[in-house]
Amino acid sequence: LPSAVLLKDMKLMDVKLGQLGSWLAMRDFTPGGIMGAIRRGHSRYYNKYINVRKGGLGGLSMVLAGYIVLSYMWSYSHI
């Protein structure tokens, strides 16, 4: 059996529509709570997209695509 999770500990995507009002009422909307949420979101974004440890084909293909776009812009600057 899955363990029961308290409503205040649930993520937004796991909250049902009927529980949304009470879930929002449990959130911390003080300036400190808002800054903490922004800090956690920035940390999550930074660790997922910026501070990656392994490179892959995706990053290399984005660099190559950026180079191609820049070279076309430089070659066809009259357009």
Side-chain angles (χ1 to χ4, degrees):
L1 292 171
S3 61
V5 178
L6 295 175
L7 184 61
K8 69 175 188 164
D9 296 332
M10 291 178 111
K11 295 179 181 178
L12 178 60
M13 294 301 293
D14 297 333
V15 175
K16 291 185 173 50
L17 194 57
Q19 300 170 327
L20 187 60
S22 55
W23 183 83
L24 280 172
M26 292 181 192
R27 300 294 97 195
D28 184 13
F29 289 109
T30 62
I34 292 172
M35 286 305 295
I38 291 171
R39 194 174 299 121
R40 284 190 307 273
H42 176 265
S43 172
R44 186 175 299 141
Y45 173 82
Y46 183 82
N47 287 328
K48 185 173 183 180
Y49 294 110
I50 307 297
N51 193 20
V52 292
R53 294 183 183 211
K54 58 181 180 180
L57 190 59
L60 183 61
S61 63
M62 282 193 286
V63 169
L64 183 62
Y67 172 74
I68 290 171
V69 168
L70 278 175
S71 66
Y72 274 117
M73 286 172 49
W74 289 330
S75 297
Y76 299 105
S77 60
H78 62 278
I79 296 179

